[in-house]
Amino acid sequence: MNKILNKLKKDNLMLNILSNFFFKGLGIGLSFISIPIMLKYLDKDNYGLWILILSITTWIYTFDIGIGNGLKNRLAETLTKKNEKEAKEYIATSYFFVTIISIIFFLLSYIILKNINLSKLLNIIYISNDELNKILLVNIGFVCINFIFSLCNNVFLGSQKSYLTSINSVLSQIIFFIFLLNLFYFKKNSIILLSLTYGLGIFLSHMILSIYYFYKNKNLLFKIKDIRLNKTKNIFGIGLKIFLVQIAGLIIFSTDNFIITKYTGIENVAIYNIVNKLFGIPLLAMTLITTPIWPAATKAFHEGNIEWLKNILKKLQKVFVSLLILTIIMIILGKPFIKIWTLGEIEPSLSLVVVCGLATLLTCFSNIYSTIIFGIGIGWGIVILSLTQAIINIVVSLIAIIYFDLGIVGVVLGTCFSMLTNVFVLPRSLKKMIEKI
């Protein structure tokens, strides 16, 4: 046992991966328990609205213009070179700019919401526009606050301590779950109260983990005087490209909820979301493995360690084969499992389960290559490809749902169709990048 523990201490990547699985496993358990509670607490329509609101507010997290990912890569680089002074400057500068962006974004959101009829735009007829605006402002307010403090996750990843991001995630889920049980017990059925407790849970978790990290790493504890505006170019340089790719990914995966709401009704958002939650398991497994690999790939690139990059790629390909088998089993058992899991509230069609499984496999396959590409440094070709995929996704989804009457299935098919190019392009791109090292 001691030999295993000593080996894990030396193998930082393996320690991060195993820790991620342990803590995310707890998170999955909490998520599976909380979903039927939330369905009973809100009902199907309000649960669909809640998911739609999360989809809208999730967009805010990508509007750091690549600062978070730029920080992650630069921090991994500077700590590899043992340049702690520069690392601290990158951290301070990143927090400064994200704070400015958060303030601007909240003010713009307030002005926009006061001047549009969102209920009419999204075809939500059972709730007034004023009530919807209040709910959104509460969520956006908390998201803007958490947007700033969530930068701690990029600090953890850049420091090769990705297990802290998993602890952060599960801790916020635990806090929110406690709040949710209290709301359910006292029968306080309100999306506004749910929004407050959800945002507060994330905020408290960010604060606790940030205090812990900087207490343990006092050499990286920054002050206002550490802000360096001349560092922005280095942060944005690589971060901007990753930001554009993530915007494209967000369009591919988040616009589905808007299209489903607009053309099929908000009650179908709940069905779509629950099926996606199920297939989030293999996707999460891949994410847990690849998350610590990104900064490790950056480190290997700056050390010129080509063999490490080639070996990790082979291991990820083997992981994909395992997840392929798991996903096929989930497709077979998915429909009856979801009915039992949601206590009969949700019963998806077999076709929806199949296409969601396919979308999951395409995403997992893409993550194998994109993780290493992001760690090394992406080119504009990948950026253009991603933005093109985002446009294809919307166009195909609308054609499938309007002209072929395929409903939710058509929306997911749009996602699958847009991601097919990754199967051919990403492996070739990574091969060329490794050859140039």
Side-chain angles (χ1 to χ4, degrees):
M1 186 66 180
N2 288 330
K3 287 182 179 179
I4 295 172
L5 290 173
N6 289 330
K7 187 177 179 181
L8 283 174
K9 287 178 182 178
K10 292 178 182 178
D11 190 344
N12 194 47
L13 179 61
M14 184 57 67
L15 176 63
N16 279 324
I17 291 172
L18 291 177
S19 299
N20 282 349
F21 268 96
F22 175 74
F23 290 112
K24 283 292 185 180
L26 291 177
I28 289 171
L30 284 171
S31 179
F32 267 68
I33 295 169
S34 64
I35 283 174
I37 295 173
M38 288 181 70
L39 279 167
K40 291 289 184 184
Y41 175 75
L42 293 175
D43 74 44
K44 193 187 291 185
D45 282 350
N46 279 316
Y47 181 78
L49 177 60
W50 168 248
I51 296 302
L52 182 64
I53 289 167
L54 290 184
S55 296
I56 295 170
T57 54
T58 297
W59 280 72
I60 299 173
Y61 285 108
T62 64
F63 281 93
D64 66 348
I65 326 173
I67 293 172
N69 287 309
L71 170 63
K72 179 167 57 179
N73 279 31
R74 293 303 175 191
L75 196 57
E77 179 186 342
T78 51
L79 292 178
T80 298
K81 296 176 180 178
K82 301 190 184 304
N83 191 341
E84 293 176 351
K85 180 179 179 295
E86 193 171 18
K88 190 160 61 172
E89 289 172 354
Y90 277 125
I91 296 171
T93 306
S94 298
Y95 270 97
F96 170 73
F97 275 103
V98 169
T99 301
I100 298 298
I101 291 169
S102 294
I103 294 169
I104 293 171
F105 200 93
F106 181 78
L107 292 174
L108 285 174
S109 299
Y110 180 82
I111 294 167
I112 291 168
L113 287 175
K114 287 294 182 182
N115 288 282
I116 64 168
N117 191 326
L118 199 60
S119 293
K120 187 176 180 180
L121 182 67
L122 296 175
N123 195 28
I124 300 171
I125 57 175
Y126 73 94
I127 187 171
S128 69
N129 189 62
D130 287 341
E131 185 69 15
L132 183 59
N133 282 350
K134 286 177 186 177
I135 296 168
L136 271 171
L137 281 173
V138 169
N139 278 276
I140 290 171
F142 263 113
V143 168
C144 286
I145 293 169
N146 289 325
F147 184 35
I148 300 167
F149 291 98
S150 68
L151 209 58
C152 67
N153 286 325
N154 297 97
V155 175
F156 302 155
L157 291 168
S159 306
Q160 310 281 311
K161 300 181 188 297
S162 66
Y163 62 90
L164 288 177
T165 64
S166 297
I167 295 174
N168 196 3
S169 176
V170 76
L171 181 59
S172 66
Q173 284 180 284
I174 290 170
I175 296 170
F176 172 62
F177 185 69
I178 293 168
F179 286 145
L180 177 62
L181 287 178
N182 278 278
L183 290 176
F184 187 75
Y185 179 77
F186 290 107
K187 297 181 180 179
K188 300 290 184 180
N189 300 63
S190 166
I191 296 184
I192 290 181
L193 283 176
L194 190 69
S195 301
L196 286 167
T197 55
Y198 181 76
L200 187 60
I202 296 172
F203 172 74
L204 291 174
S205 179
H206 285 333
M207 287 298 296
I208 292 167
L209 267 295
S210 294
I211 292 168
Y212 170 80
Y213 176 85
F214 286 110
Y215 176 77
K216 290 289 185 178
N217 300 272
K218 292 184 177 69
N219 53 324
L220 296 178
L221 183 60
F222 61 92
K223 298 177 182 177
I224 294 175
K225 67 178 183 179
D226 293 314
I227 297 169
R228 296 287 184 274
L229 299 183
N230 62 343
K231 295 291 182 186
T232 54
K233 186 179 178 182
N234 291 336
I235 296 171
F236 285 123
I238 189 167
L240 179 61
K241 294 175 185 176
I242 298 172
F243 163 70
L244 291 173
V245 172
Q246 287 186 323
I247 284 289
L250 196 63
I251 291 170
I252 291 171
F253 294 106
S254 294
T255 51
D256 290 355
N257 286 322
F258 294 95
I259 295 170
I260 291 168
T261 303
K262 180 71 175 175
Y263 293 98
T264 72
I266 198 162
E267 68 279 0
N268 285 315
V269 173
I271 299 171
Y272 169 75
N273 179 259
I274 295 297
V275 177
N276 267 344
K277 284 281 186 184
L278 176 63
F279 284 104
I281 295 173
L283 188 57
L284 180 61
M286 179 59 80
T287 303
L288 292 177
I289 294 168
T290 56
T291 296
I293 288 174
W294 179 334
T298 304
K299 184 174 183 288
F301 170 70
H302 287 287
E303 292 174 344
N305 195 342
I306 298 173
E307 283 305 309
W308 186 91
L309 293 170
K310 289 180 178 179
N311 287 334
I312 205 68
L313 178 59
K314 289 178 182 177
K315 290 176 181 178
L316 287 175
Q317 287 168 340
K318 290 178 181 178
V319 169
F320 177 74
V321 174
S322 300
L323 294 178
L324 172 64
I325 296 168
L326 173 62
T327 305
I328 291 170
I329 294 170
M330 291 176 71
I331 289 172
I332 296 168
L333 302 176
K335 187 177 178 181
F337 175 80
I338 289 171
K339 187 177 179 180
I340 296 168
W341 172 34
T342 60
L343 306 176
E345 293 283 332
I346 303 293
E347 189 173 358
S349 66
L350 179 60
S351 56
L352 179 61
V353 174
V354 171
V355 293
C356 283
L358 179 59
T360 298
L361 289 174
L362 286 168
T363 306
C364 288
F365 183 86
S366 300
N367 283 357
I368 293 173
Y369 299 93
S370 62
T371 299
I372 302 174
I373 289 171
F374 287 171
I376 295 174
I378 64 172
W380 283 106
I382 299 295
V383 175
I384 294 168
L385 171 67
S386 300
L387 294 172
T388 304
Q389 288 174 332
I391 296 168
I392 291 171
N393 173 65
I394 295 174
V395 173
V396 174
S397 295
L398 290 174
I399 291 171
I401 205 168
I402 295 171
Y403 294 102
F404 293 94
D405 198 25
L406 291 175
I408 311 175
V409 174
V411 176
V412 185
L413 281 174
T415 302
C416 294
F417 191 81
S418 66
M419 295 185 66
L420 273 175
T421 48
N422 287 344
V423 177
F424 307 102
V425 176
L426 293 184
R428 288 184 62 190
S429 297
L430 180 57
K431 184 181 178 182
K432 288 179 180 179
M433 292 175 77
I434 293 175
E435 287 173 351
K436 289 180 181 178
I437 297 174

PDB file of all heavy atoms in Angstrom, residues 38 42 45-55 126 135 139 176 191 194-196 198-199 266:
ATOM      1  N   MET A  38     -35.259  17.611  -7.873  1.00  0.00           N
ATOM      2  CA  MET A  38     -35.533  18.875  -8.560  1.00  0.00           C
ATOM      3  C   MET A  38     -36.754  18.774  -9.463  1.00  0.00           C
ATOM      4  O   MET A  38     -37.524  19.734  -9.589  1.00  0.00           O
ATOM      5  CB  MET A  38     -34.304  19.312  -9.366  1.00  0.00           C
ATOM      6  CG  MET A  38     -33.160  19.811  -8.507  1.00  0.00           C
ATOM      7  SD  MET A  38     -31.734  20.340  -9.472  1.00  0.00           S
ATOM      8  CE  MET A  38     -32.363  21.821 -10.232  1.00  0.00           C
ATOM      9  N   LEU A  42     -39.721  21.331  -8.846  1.00  0.00           N
ATOM     10  CA  LEU A  42     -40.069  22.353  -9.823  1.00  0.00           C
ATOM     11  C   LEU A  42     -41.186  21.971 -10.782  1.00  0.00           C
ATOM     12  O   LEU A  42     -41.866  22.836 -11.298  1.00  0.00           O
ATOM     13  CB  LEU A  42     -38.825  22.723 -10.660  1.00  0.00           C
ATOM     14  CG  LEU A  42     -37.686  23.437  -9.933  1.00  0.00           C
ATOM     15  CD1 LEU A  42     -36.498  23.600 -10.874  1.00  0.00           C
ATOM     16  CD2 LEU A  42     -38.128  24.801  -9.411  1.00  0.00           C
ATOM     17  N   ASP A  45     -42.034  21.579 -16.519  1.00  0.00           N
ATOM     18  CA  ASP A  45     -41.912  22.859 -17.215  1.00  0.00           C
ATOM     19  C   ASP A  45     -40.884  23.766 -16.558  1.00  0.00           C
ATOM     20  O   ASP A  45     -40.018  24.353 -17.220  1.00  0.00           O
ATOM     21  CB  ASP A  45     -43.266  23.574 -17.268  1.00  0.00           C
ATOM     22  CG  ASP A  45     -44.183  22.991 -18.331  1.00  0.00           C
ATOM     23  OD1 ASP A  45     -43.703  22.170 -19.137  1.00  0.00           O
ATOM     24  OD2 ASP A  45     -45.374  23.350 -18.356  1.00  0.00           O
ATOM     25  N   ASN A  46     -40.982  23.901 -15.231  1.00  0.00           N
ATOM     26  CA  ASN A  46     -40.051  24.769 -14.515  1.00  0.00           C
ATOM     27  C   ASN A  46     -38.633  24.204 -14.505  1.00  0.00           C
ATOM     28  O   ASN A  46     -37.660  24.962 -14.493  1.00  0.00           O
ATOM     29  CB  ASN A  46     -40.529  25.002 -13.076  1.00  0.00           C
ATOM     30  CG  ASN A  46     -41.602  26.067 -13.007  1.00  0.00           C
ATOM     31  OD1 ASN A  46     -41.492  27.117 -13.637  1.00  0.00           O
ATOM     32  ND2 ASN A  46     -42.663  25.803 -12.261  1.00  0.00           N
ATOM     33  N   TYR A  47     -38.532  22.881 -14.515  1.00  0.00           N
ATOM     34  CA  TYR A  47     -37.197  22.265 -14.608  1.00  0.00           C
ATOM     35  C   TYR A  47     -36.587  22.593 -15.970  1.00  0.00           C
ATOM     36  O   TYR A  47     -35.393  22.909 -16.070  1.00  0.00           O
ATOM     37  CB  TYR A  47     -37.271  20.754 -14.415  1.00  0.00           C
ATOM     38  CG  TYR A  47     -35.917  20.075 -14.486  1.00  0.00           C
ATOM     39  CD1 TYR A  47     -35.038  20.121 -13.407  1.00  0.00           C
ATOM     40  CD2 TYR A  47     -35.519  19.403 -15.647  1.00  0.00           C
ATOM     41  CE1 TYR A  47     -33.794  19.508 -13.484  1.00  0.00           C
ATOM     42  CE2 TYR A  47     -34.271  18.791 -15.723  1.00  0.00           C
ATOM     43  CZ  TYR A  47     -33.416  18.841 -14.640  1.00  0.00           C
ATOM     44  OH  TYR A  47     -32.186  18.244 -14.719  1.00  0.00           O
ATOM     45  N   GLY A  48     -37.405  22.532 -17.015  1.00  0.00           N
ATOM     46  CA  GLY A  48     -36.947  22.903 -18.353  1.00  0.00           C
ATOM     47  C   GLY A  48     -36.498  24.355 -18.397  1.00  0.00           C
ATOM     48  O   GLY A  48     -35.473  24.680 -19.013  1.00  0.00           O
ATOM     49  N   LEU A  49     -37.264  25.241 -17.719  1.00  0.00           N
ATOM     50  CA  LEU A  49     -36.898  26.659 -17.652  1.00  0.00           C
ATOM     51  C   LEU A  49     -35.571  26.839 -16.915  1.00  0.00           C
ATOM     52  O   LEU A  49     -34.722  27.627 -17.332  1.00  0.00           O
ATOM     53  CB  LEU A  49     -38.006  27.455 -16.956  1.00  0.00           C
ATOM     54  CG  LEU A  49     -37.743  28.952 -16.743  1.00  0.00           C
ATOM     55  CD1 LEU A  49     -37.532  29.659 -18.074  1.00  0.00           C
ATOM     56  CD2 LEU A  49     -38.892  29.583 -15.964  1.00  0.00           C
ATOM     57  N   TRP A  50     -35.398  26.085 -15.828  1.00  0.00           N
ATOM     58  CA  TRP A  50     -34.167  26.152 -15.036  1.00  0.00           C
ATOM     59  C   TRP A  50     -32.952  25.756 -15.886  1.00  0.00           C
ATOM     60  O   TRP A  50     -31.915  26.430 -15.870  1.00  0.00           O
ATOM     61  CB  TRP A  50     -34.296  25.239 -13.821  1.00  0.00           C
ATOM     62  CG  TRP A  50     -33.019  24.991 -13.067  1.00  0.00           C
ATOM     63  CD1 TRP A  50     -32.341  23.815 -12.969  1.00  0.00           C
ATOM     64  CD2 TRP A  50     -32.283  25.932 -12.287  1.00  0.00           C
ATOM     65  NE1 TRP A  50     -31.233  23.973 -12.192  1.00  0.00           N
ATOM     66  CE2 TRP A  50     -31.169  25.267 -11.756  1.00  0.00           C
ATOM     67  CE3 TRP A  50     -32.452  27.288 -11.997  1.00  0.00           C
ATOM     68  CZ2 TRP A  50     -30.230  25.887 -10.957  1.00  0.00           C
ATOM     69  CZ3 TRP A  50     -31.507  27.916 -11.196  1.00  0.00           C
ATOM     70  CH2 TRP A  50     -30.429  27.219 -10.680  1.00  0.00           C
ATOM     71  N   ILE A  51     -33.101  24.703 -16.675  1.00  0.00           N
ATOM     72  CA  ILE A  51     -32.017  24.252 -17.555  1.00  0.00           C
ATOM     73  C   ILE A  51     -31.723  25.301 -18.614  1.00  0.00           C
ATOM     74  O   ILE A  51     -30.562  25.573 -18.950  1.00  0.00           O
ATOM     75  CB  ILE A  51     -32.374  22.899 -18.225  1.00  0.00           C
ATOM     76  CG1 ILE A  51     -32.509  21.791 -17.167  1.00  0.00           C
ATOM     77  CG2 ILE A  51     -31.321  22.506 -19.258  1.00  0.00           C
ATOM     78  CD1 ILE A  51     -31.269  21.581 -16.313  1.00  0.00           C
ATOM     79  N   LEU A  52     -32.786  25.916 -19.153  1.00  0.00           N
ATOM     80  CA  LEU A  52     -32.613  26.970 -20.169  1.00  0.00           C
ATOM     81  C   LEU A  52     -31.865  28.159 -19.571  1.00  0.00           C
ATOM     82  O   LEU A  52     -30.970  28.729 -20.214  1.00  0.00           O
ATOM     83  CB  LEU A  52     -33.976  27.415 -20.698  1.00  0.00           C
ATOM     84  CG  LEU A  52     -33.956  28.487 -21.799  1.00  0.00           C
ATOM     85  CD1 LEU A  52     -33.268  27.957 -23.048  1.00  0.00           C
ATOM     86  CD2 LEU A  52     -35.369  28.949 -22.117  1.00  0.00           C
ATOM     87  N   ILE A  53     -32.211  28.546 -18.343  1.00  0.00           N
ATOM     88  CA  ILE A  53     -31.533  29.656 -17.665  1.00  0.00           C
ATOM     89  C   ILE A  53     -30.054  29.343 -17.462  1.00  0.00           C
ATOM     90  O   ILE A  53     -29.187  30.194 -17.685  1.00  0.00           O
ATOM     91  CB  ILE A  53     -32.218  29.966 -16.311  1.00  0.00           C
ATOM     92  CG1 ILE A  53     -33.586  30.609 -16.551  1.00  0.00           C
ATOM     93  CG2 ILE A  53     -31.347  30.885 -15.453  1.00  0.00           C
ATOM     94  CD1 ILE A  53     -34.457  30.671 -15.326  1.00  0.00           C
ATOM     95  N   LEU A  54     -29.751  28.105 -17.059  1.00  0.00           N
ATOM     96  CA  LEU A  54     -28.350  27.694 -16.891  1.00  0.00           C
ATOM     97  C   LEU A  54     -27.611  27.757 -18.220  1.00  0.00           C
ATOM     98  O   LEU A  54     -26.430  28.117 -18.271  1.00  0.00           O
ATOM     99  CB  LEU A  54     -28.266  26.279 -16.307  1.00  0.00           C
ATOM    100  CG  LEU A  54     -28.693  26.099 -14.858  1.00  0.00           C
ATOM    101  CD1 LEU A  54     -28.466  24.658 -14.410  1.00  0.00           C
ATOM    102  CD2 LEU A  54     -27.932  27.050 -13.937  1.00  0.00           C
ATOM    103  N   SER A  55     -28.306  27.408 -19.311  1.00  0.00           N
ATOM    104  CA  SER A  55     -27.687  27.475 -20.640  1.00  0.00           C
ATOM    105  C   SER A  55     -27.335  28.914 -21.004  1.00  0.00           C
ATOM    106  O   SER A  55     -26.275  29.179 -21.568  1.00  0.00           O
ATOM    107  CB  SER A  55     -28.634  26.912 -21.706  1.00  0.00           C
ATOM    108  OG  SER A  55     -28.885  25.550 -21.498  1.00  0.00           O
ATOM    109  N   TYR A 126     -46.051  30.735 -19.878  1.00  0.00           N
ATOM    110  CA  TYR A 126     -46.677  30.522 -18.568  1.00  0.00           C
ATOM    111  C   TYR A 126     -46.047  31.367 -17.450  1.00  0.00           C
ATOM    112  O   TYR A 126     -46.446  31.280 -16.283  1.00  0.00           O
ATOM    113  CB  TYR A 126     -46.604  29.038 -18.176  1.00  0.00           C
ATOM    114  CG  TYR A 126     -45.245  28.546 -17.781  1.00  0.00           C
ATOM    115  CD1 TYR A 126     -44.852  28.520 -16.449  1.00  0.00           C
ATOM    116  CD2 TYR A 126     -44.341  28.106 -18.740  1.00  0.00           C
ATOM    117  CE1 TYR A 126     -43.598  28.078 -16.073  1.00  0.00           C
ATOM    118  CE2 TYR A 126     -43.093  27.645 -18.381  1.00  0.00           C
ATOM    119  CZ  TYR A 126     -42.722  27.638 -17.055  1.00  0.00           C
ATOM    120  OH  TYR A 126     -41.481  27.196 -16.706  1.00  0.00           O
ATOM    121  N   ILE A 135     -35.497  36.415 -12.403  1.00  0.00           N
ATOM    122  CA  ILE A 135     -34.780  35.140 -12.265  1.00  0.00           C
ATOM    123  C   ILE A 135     -33.428  35.210 -12.972  1.00  0.00           C
ATOM    124  O   ILE A 135     -32.396  34.786 -12.426  1.00  0.00           O
ATOM    125  CB  ILE A 135     -35.622  33.981 -12.851  1.00  0.00           C
ATOM    126  CG1 ILE A 135     -36.909  33.802 -12.059  1.00  0.00           C
ATOM    127  CG2 ILE A 135     -34.815  32.677 -12.856  1.00  0.00           C
ATOM    128  CD1 ILE A 135     -37.936  32.895 -12.728  1.00  0.00           C
ATOM    129  N   ASN A 139     -29.469  35.068 -11.426  1.00  0.00           N
ATOM    130  CA  ASN A 139     -28.495  34.101 -11.932  1.00  0.00           C
ATOM    131  C   ASN A 139     -27.276  34.780 -12.541  1.00  0.00           C
ATOM    132  O   ASN A 139     -26.135  34.372 -12.295  1.00  0.00           O
ATOM    133  CB  ASN A 139     -29.153  33.184 -12.971  1.00  0.00           C
ATOM    134  CG  ASN A 139     -29.935  32.051 -12.341  1.00  0.00           C
ATOM    135  OD1 ASN A 139     -29.383  31.017 -11.996  1.00  0.00           O
ATOM    136  ND2 ASN A 139     -31.230  32.251 -12.166  1.00  0.00           N
ATOM    137  N   PHE A 176     -24.883  22.944  -2.447  1.00  0.00           N
ATOM    138  CA  PHE A 176     -26.163  23.165  -3.131  1.00  0.00           C
ATOM    139  C   PHE A 176     -27.172  22.076  -2.769  1.00  0.00           C
ATOM    140  O   PHE A 176     -28.357  22.367  -2.566  1.00  0.00           O
ATOM    141  CB  PHE A 176     -25.950  23.197  -4.647  1.00  0.00           C
ATOM    142  CG  PHE A 176     -27.234  23.229  -5.437  1.00  0.00           C
ATOM    143  CD1 PHE A 176     -28.119  24.285  -5.310  1.00  0.00           C
ATOM    144  CD2 PHE A 176     -27.567  22.186  -6.292  1.00  0.00           C
ATOM    145  CE1 PHE A 176     -29.311  24.313  -6.032  1.00  0.00           C
ATOM    146  CE2 PHE A 176     -28.754  22.205  -7.015  1.00  0.00           C
ATOM    147  CZ  PHE A 176     -29.627  23.263  -6.881  1.00  0.00           C
ATOM    148  N   ILE A 191     -37.995  29.269  -8.306  1.00  0.00           N
ATOM    149  CA  ILE A 191     -36.767  29.234  -9.108  1.00  0.00           C
ATOM    150  C   ILE A 191     -35.786  30.297  -8.625  1.00  0.00           C
ATOM    151  O   ILE A 191     -34.576  30.107  -8.688  1.00  0.00           O
ATOM    152  CB  ILE A 191     -37.084  29.434 -10.615  1.00  0.00           C
ATOM    153  CG1 ILE A 191     -37.927  28.270 -11.135  1.00  0.00           C
ATOM    154  CG2 ILE A 191     -35.805  29.543 -11.435  1.00  0.00           C
ATOM    155  CD1 ILE A 191     -38.216  28.319 -12.620  1.00  0.00           C
ATOM    156  N   LEU A 194     -34.026  28.825  -5.702  1.00  0.00           N
ATOM    157  CA  LEU A 194     -33.123  27.805  -6.231  1.00  0.00           C
ATOM    158  C   LEU A 194     -31.879  28.462  -6.843  1.00  0.00           C
ATOM    159  O   LEU A 194     -30.756  27.984  -6.648  1.00  0.00           O
ATOM    160  CB  LEU A 194     -33.839  26.963  -7.283  1.00  0.00           C
ATOM    161  CG  LEU A 194     -33.108  25.707  -7.766  1.00  0.00           C
ATOM    162  CD1 LEU A 194     -33.048  24.661  -6.676  1.00  0.00           C
ATOM    163  CD2 LEU A 194     -33.796  25.133  -9.003  1.00  0.00           C
ATOM    164  N   SER A 195     -32.083  29.569  -7.541  1.00  0.00           N
ATOM    165  CA  SER A 195     -30.968  30.302  -8.157  1.00  0.00           C
ATOM    166  C   SER A 195     -30.018  30.866  -7.104  1.00  0.00           C
ATOM    167  O   SER A 195     -28.796  30.812  -7.256  1.00  0.00           O
ATOM    168  CB  SER A 195     -31.508  31.440  -9.023  1.00  0.00           C
ATOM    169  OG  SER A 195     -32.358  30.950 -10.036  1.00  0.00           O
ATOM    170  N   LEU A 196     -30.597  31.412  -6.038  1.00  0.00           N
ATOM    171  CA  LEU A 196     -29.786  31.969  -4.959  1.00  0.00           C
ATOM    172  C   LEU A 196     -28.914  30.899  -4.295  1.00  0.00           C
ATOM    173  O   LEU A 196     -27.715  31.112  -4.069  1.00  0.00           O
ATOM    174  CB  LEU A 196     -30.682  32.629  -3.905  1.00  0.00           C
ATOM    175  CG  LEU A 196     -31.319  33.973  -4.282  1.00  0.00           C
ATOM    176  CD1 LEU A 196     -32.406  34.338  -3.282  1.00  0.00           C
ATOM    177  CD2 LEU A 196     -30.261  35.065  -4.343  1.00  0.00           C
ATOM    178  N   TYR A 198     -28.076  27.968  -5.546  1.00  0.00           N
ATOM    179  CA  TYR A 198     -27.138  27.406  -6.526  1.00  0.00           C
ATOM    180  C   TYR A 198     -25.898  28.298  -6.655  1.00  0.00           C
ATOM    181  O   TYR A 198     -24.759  27.829  -6.603  1.00  0.00           O
ATOM    182  CB  TYR A 198     -27.838  27.279  -7.880  1.00  0.00           C
ATOM    183  CG  TYR A 198     -26.984  26.688  -8.976  1.00  0.00           C
ATOM    184  CD1 TYR A 198     -26.728  25.316  -9.033  1.00  0.00           C
ATOM    185  CD2 TYR A 198     -26.435  27.501  -9.969  1.00  0.00           C
ATOM    186  CE1 TYR A 198     -25.950  24.780 -10.046  1.00  0.00           C
ATOM    187  CE2 TYR A 198     -25.665  26.968 -10.980  1.00  0.00           C
ATOM    188  CZ  TYR A 198     -25.419  25.607 -11.021  1.00  0.00           C
ATOM    189  OH  TYR A 198     -24.648  25.082 -12.027  1.00  0.00           O
ATOM    190  N   GLY A 199     -26.143  29.602  -6.807  1.00  0.00           N
ATOM    191  CA  GLY A 199     -25.030  30.553  -6.943  1.00  0.00           C
ATOM    192  C   GLY A 199     -24.194  30.640  -5.688  1.00  0.00           C
ATOM    193  O   GLY A 199     -22.962  30.726  -5.746  1.00  0.00           O
ATOM    194  N   ILE A 266     -40.861  24.159 -24.047  1.00  0.00           N
ATOM    195  CA  ILE A 266     -39.871  24.091 -22.976  1.00  0.00           C
ATOM    196  C   ILE A 266     -39.891  22.756 -22.225  1.00  0.00           C
ATOM    197  O   ILE A 266     -38.900  22.342 -21.634  1.00  0.00           O
ATOM    198  CB  ILE A 266     -40.062  25.273 -21.995  1.00  0.00           C
ATOM    199  CG1 ILE A 266     -38.790  25.465 -21.155  1.00  0.00           C
ATOM    200  CG2 ILE A 266     -41.293  25.062 -21.104  1.00  0.00           C
ATOM    201  CD1 ILE A 266     -38.697  26.803 -20.487  1.00  0.00           C
TER     202      ILE A 266
END
